[in-house]
Amino acid sequence: MSLYRNLTWFLKGMKEYTRDGYDAASKSFIVEDLSVSHVGRSFMVTGANSGIGKETAAAIAKKGGTVHMVCRNKDKAEMARADIIRESGNTEVHIHILDLSETTQVWEFAETFQRQYPTLNVLINNAGCMINKREKNSIGLEKNFATNTLGVYILTQSLMPLLQKSRDPRVITVSSGGMLVQQLRAHNLQSKGGFYRGPKVYAQNKRQQVVLTEHWAKTQPVIHFSAMHPGWVDTPAVSSTMPQFRQMMGERLRSAAQGADTVVWLALSRGAPSTPSGSFFQDRKAVPTHLPMAWTNSSAKDVAKFLVKLETLAQEARPQPADPQPGSPTESSQALVIQHHI
Ligand SMILES: NC(=O)c1ccc[n+]([C@@H]2O[C@H](COP(=O)([O-])OP(=O)(O)OC[C@H]3O[C@@H](n4cnc5c(N)ncnc54)[C@H](O)[C@@H]3O)[C@@H](O)[C@H]2O)c1
C-alpha cells in the first residue's frame, strides 16, 4: 500500500506540483481576484522571513495590509522586514520573535499578542520544518510534531477569540501534498520507538494539519479555514532538508512566489470565503484530501483520539496552572472536541 501511495503521489506531483503544473493551472486564474485593497486589515504570517512565508508577507504588504511577521531568528526577520518595506512601501510590518517548536512559548506569545492588538483578520500558519533526526524540545516533545502540529494547534486555538471578533476572519495553514500518503495516526504522536524517518513524520504532521482544519471548520463557523499545498517549491527548506530532490528537480521546482500564490489568494481574494470552510487547496482550487483507493481516510474515533491527545498536550504545556474560567476559550474548545467527535 505504501509503495502504491508513494508512486501514485510522485506521478501526480510530476504533473501538477512542478513549475509546469503551476503554469498550466494559472491559465484559469482570474487576475481581478486579487484587485482588493487590504488597508486596515491585519495578517499574521508565521515563518515570514523566508521562502513562501516571505513572498506571502510581501504580497499582503503590497495590498496595504498590516503584517505581523512571526519569526524564530531576529536578524533574519529584520532583513526580510526591510526587503518587504522597500518592495511594498508599506511600513505597517511588525516583527514578533517566536520559536514555534517551544510549546510553552507559543502560549505566551498568543496571550501577549491578544492583549496588545485589538484585531487579527487572517492567521497564516506557514512555518514548518522537516527535521531528519529525532530531536526534542525543552519539555521533551518531538520537534517536528511540536512545530508543525502542536504549535499550529495552540496558536490557532488561542487566537480564535481575536479572530472571531474581527471582520471576515480566515485561517490558512500551509500543509503539503505529501500528506496524501499518510493516514492519520493518533496513537504515536511523538514518533517514539522504531526507525525514525523525518519525511514520514513531516507528512504525518501535514495530514494532522488537514484533519485540524476540517475539525475547526466544523466547530468554528464564524472563521473561514483552509489548508493548502504550495507545490514543489525552491526554498531554503528544500535545499537544506532534501538536497537530492532539489538537484533532481532543478528548474522544474516552482519559484517561492508561485508557491505562495494560493496562500495569497486564500488570504486576500473576495472569493475565497465563498468556498466551503475546511477545504484543501492547490492552485486556487479545492482538491481531494485522499488519493484514489489509498485507504487514508480516518475514522471519527481516531480523529477524536487525536484531538483529545492534542488538547491534553497543549494544556500540559500551558505556562499558568491550567485553571480555566468557566466559558473560557480553552474550556469550550475541549468541550467542542468531545461533542463533535465522540
Ligand atoms: N517548499 C516546498 O516544496 C513545500 C512543499 C510543501 C509544503 N511546504 C510548506 O511550506 C511552508 C513554508 O516552507 P518553505 O518551503 O517556504 O521553507 P522555508 O525554509 O523558506 O520557510 C520555512 C519557515 O518556517 C520557519 N520555521 C521553521 N521552524 C520554525 C520554528 N520552530 N519556529 C518559528 N519558525 C520556524 C523558518 O524559520 C522559515 O521562516 C512549510 O510549512 C513547508 O512545510 C513547502
Side-chain angles (χ1 to χ4, degrees):
M1 183 48 77
S2 158
L3 181 66
Y4 162 78
R5 282 182 198 159
N6 283 307
L7 191 63
T8 310
W9 175 73
F10 184 73
L11 294 174
K12 178 182 172 65
M14 289 302 283
K15 185 162 169 251
E16 299 175 14
Y17 300 166
T18 54
R19 188 177 280 266
D20 285 352
Y22 177 85
D23 289 342
S26 65
K27 291 200 172 92
S28 59
F29 292 175
I30 300 165
V31 180
E32 295 75 45
D33 276 1
L34 296 177
S35 310
V36 192
S37 164
H38 285 273
V39 176
R41 276 174 72 74
S42 72
F43 300 75
M44 182 184 288
V45 185
T46 66
N49 60 287
S50 167
I52 295 163
K54 184 178 174 193
E55 287 293 334
T56 301
I60 294 167
K62 284 180 194 160
K63 294 288 178 190
T66 296
V67 182
H68 295 284
M69 303 173 62
V70 177
C71 305
R72 185 173 38 180
N73 180 297
K74 190 165 180 282
D75 293 343
K76 288 183 184 171
E78 276 168 1
M79 277 194 287
R81 176 176 181 266
D83 289 346
I84 293 170
I85 292 178
R86 196 174 45 248
E87 265 181 57
S88 66
N90 181 349
T91 52
E92 285 297 315
V93 180
H94 310 282
I95 292 175
H96 307 267
I97 301 303
L98 171 66
D99 181 344
L100 274 154
S101 74
E102 287 300 341
T103 313
T104 306
Q105 282 180 31
V106 183
W107 276 114
E108 287 165 348
F109 165 72
E111 283 169 11
T112 308
F113 187 89
Q114 299 210 66
R115 280 196 299 274
Q116 283 178 340
Y117 295 92
T119 57
L120 178 66
N121 300 95
V122 183
L123 165 63
I124 301 174
N125 290 310
N126 163 75
C129 60
M130 185 203 289
I131 303 168
N132 282 317
K133 271 204 208 142
R134 192 175 188 282
E135 288 178 15
K136 292 191 269 185
N137 71 5
S138 64
I139 57 167
L141 298 174
E142 189 278 320
K143 261 197 185 179
N144 282 314
F145 167 78
T147 309
N148 298 326
T149 305
L150 193 57
V152 166
Y153 177 73
I154 295 173
L155 188 64
T156 309
Q157 287 284 141
S158 323
L159 292 176
M160 265 181 207
L162 193 56
L163 287 157
Q164 274 160 344
K165 66 179 184 181
S166 307
R167 196 172 47 82
D168 182 13
R170 309 182 190 184
V171 173
I172 298 142
T173 300
V174 181
S175 172
S176 168
M179 65 89 195
L180 289 168
V181 302
Q182 286 283 314
Q183 182 178 36
L184 177 70
R185 270 191 290 113
H187 61 279
N188 187 12
L189 298 183
Q190 298 303 309
S191 305
K192 277 189 186 151
F195 181 59
Y196 182 88
R197 285 203 301 122
K200 192 173 168 196
V201 174
Y202 168 84
Q204 175 61 213
N205 296 162
K206 294 291 174 181
R207 166 64 72 191
Q208 291 164 350
Q209 292 179 341
V210 169
V211 170
L212 273 177
T213 299
E214 290 166 347
H215 160 69
W216 284 323
K218 282 188 205 139
T219 54
Q220 302 288 337
V222 175
I223 304 171
H224 187 269
F225 292 90
S226 43
M228 61 79 67
H229 173 49
W232 289 336
V233 188
D234 195 1
T235 61
V238 171
S239 36
S240 62
T241 59
M242 297 188 289
Q244 286 165 332
F245 177 71
R246 181 173 185 266
Q247 200 181 13
M248 180 185 92
M249 295 302 293
E251 291 297 305
R252 281 176 290 194
L253 290 176
R254 294 180 177 199
S255 68
Q258 291 171 336
D261 176 82
T262 295
V263 191
V264 172
W265 183 82
L266 287 165
L268 300 184
S269 74
R270 268 195 211 96
S274 59
T275 60
S277 183
S279 305
F280 178 68
F281 284 82
Q282 176 188 314
D283 292 331
R284 302 191 188 185
K285 281 207 175 94
V287 293
T289 53
H290 299 279
L291 293 170
M293 296 180 298
W295 296 92
T296 47
N297 287 286
S298 17
S299 67
K301 202 171 146 203
D302 273 351
V303 174
K305 197 166 154 189
F306 164 64
L307 293 170
V308 169
K309 281 190 176 182
L310 210 51
E311 178 65 14
T312 306
L313 288 170
Q315 289 306 325
E316 283 169 2
R318 204 170 182 179
Q320 299 297 321
D323 183 19
Q325 298 297 307
S328 72
T330 311
E331 189 177 80
S332 42
S333 66
Q334 183 139 30
L336 278 173
V337 166
I338 292 157
Q339 259 170 38
H340 278 265
H341 292 282
I342 294 183

